[in-house]
Amino acid sequence: MRKSLVLALIAVIALRASAVYAHGVVGDYIFLEPLVTDDATPANEADIVAPDWNRNSGGRTFSIGSSIEKLLGTDSDNLPRFSVGGGSTWIYQSPKQGANVSGFDDLELFAKYAFLIIPQHEFILSAKAVLDLPTGNPSVQSQQHTSLGPELIGAKALGDLPNTTLLKWLRPIGFQFDYGYIPALGGHTSHNMFADGMIEYSLLYLSNNVQDIGLKWPLRNLFLFNEFNYNQLVKGPSGQTFPTILVTPGIAYVSYRFELSVGTQFALNQASVSGNHAAILGLLDIFYDSIFPQGNWKLYGE
């Protein structure tokens, strides 16, 4: 979503207020907003800037993504259940041969429903419908046809492990995953399948729920994580349907109002090497209802 649209959406969030929601909370665990893996928790948040720099065999690519998500519904226990959102990415490509090109990628719109939440086990499963519209620059956008498809997203933390001498150190571990298939509604390209997994270790959960080992700010608010990312065109142009398999390690700082993350990527299979020689990813995610309580209005729920 273009920056002007993001700002406009934030500006109209000025109706009735209620309790502020912390991002990604399931039980006592706060799940990260990952760099690549999708987030299972419906929330009020705005990815203000998500920069990505990549050097590959064909040249260099720099992009800045922006998106916004709005929580619209909670259940009788005041758990977040339903949200909608959208976003887009501005891309600048500098190939080794040919002229530089830039412009916006596809516009992605989505609706997310958390159909299973078990707070006492820090577990959530959500279903997501994704609509990609080819509204950007044809020279840089990933496909030229409208795409629509489902996605399954989940997260589970290990806080329900026994608080024994050894096992308690595993309780700050959390897992997140997604699986999606987004086929094009026309043409023969971009029938995209992807799957991502993430393991994270929360020093915040360690200090607050396991054992306070004396960590001070900002170390107390840090998360260490590693993502495994798979992406493939199931149907597409000849020679472009090989899978891309990457690993994305990184570190994140999470406060009540925002998350700041940075990571890098490495190719895990030979087909991915040519497309990823070096990469740096970042994210600044604002939990806007903690700054503007008016942004916590909903269509239903408490």
Side-chain angles (χ1 to χ4, degrees), residues 62-83:
F62 176 74
S63 64
I64 300 178
S66 298
S67 66
I68 190 168
E69 181 177 356
K70 180 72 191 81
L71 176 67
L72 293 181
T74 58
D75 62 17
S76 58
D77 295 320
N78 214 26
L79 297 175
R81 289 289 182 174
F82 179 67
S83 67

Side-chain angles (χ1 to χ4, degrees), residues 38 85-87 106-112 127-133 143 146-153 178-185 192 194:
D38 219 338
D106 312 318
L107 173 64
E108 178 184 292
L109 303 174
F110 66 85
K112 183 194 302 181
K128 184 176 179 181
V130 180
L131 175 65
D132 286 333
L133 301 174
Q143 48 90 15
T146 298
S147 298
L148 175 65
E151 185 179 349
L152 178 67
I153 322 168
D178 64 43
Y179 172 77
Y181 179 69
I182 315 296
L185 300 182
N192 190 38
F194 59 90

Side-chain angles (χ1 to χ4, degrees), residues 8-17 70 288 292-297:
L9 286 173
I10 294 176
V12 301
I13 298 172
L15 301 180
R16 61 184 180 87
K70 180 72 191 81
Y288 58 78
F292 308 106
Q294 296 87 349
N296 199 38
W297 65 270

Side-chain angles (χ1 to χ4, degrees), residues 173-215:
I173 294 177
F175 300 93
Q176 300 191 55
F177 69 88
D178 64 43
Y179 172 77
Y181 179 69
I182 315 296
L185 300 182
H188 300 286
T189 61
S190 196
H191 292 256
N192 190 38
M193 182 171 66
F194 59 90
D196 304 285
M198 175 175 174
I199 181 171
E200 61 196 76
Y201 195 89
S202 171
L203 297 181
L204 184 64
Y205 190 94
L206 173 67
S207 298
N208 292 345
N209 300 88
V210 179
Q211 180 175 320
D212 191 341
I213 60 175
L215 293 176

Side-chain angles (χ1 to χ4, degrees), residues 243-261:
T244 297
I245 304 176
L246 304 170
V247 61
T248 308
I251 189 169
Y253 172 86
V254 179
S255 73
Y256 181 66
R257 291 183 170 85
F258 70 91
E259 172 188 331
L260 182 63
S261 302

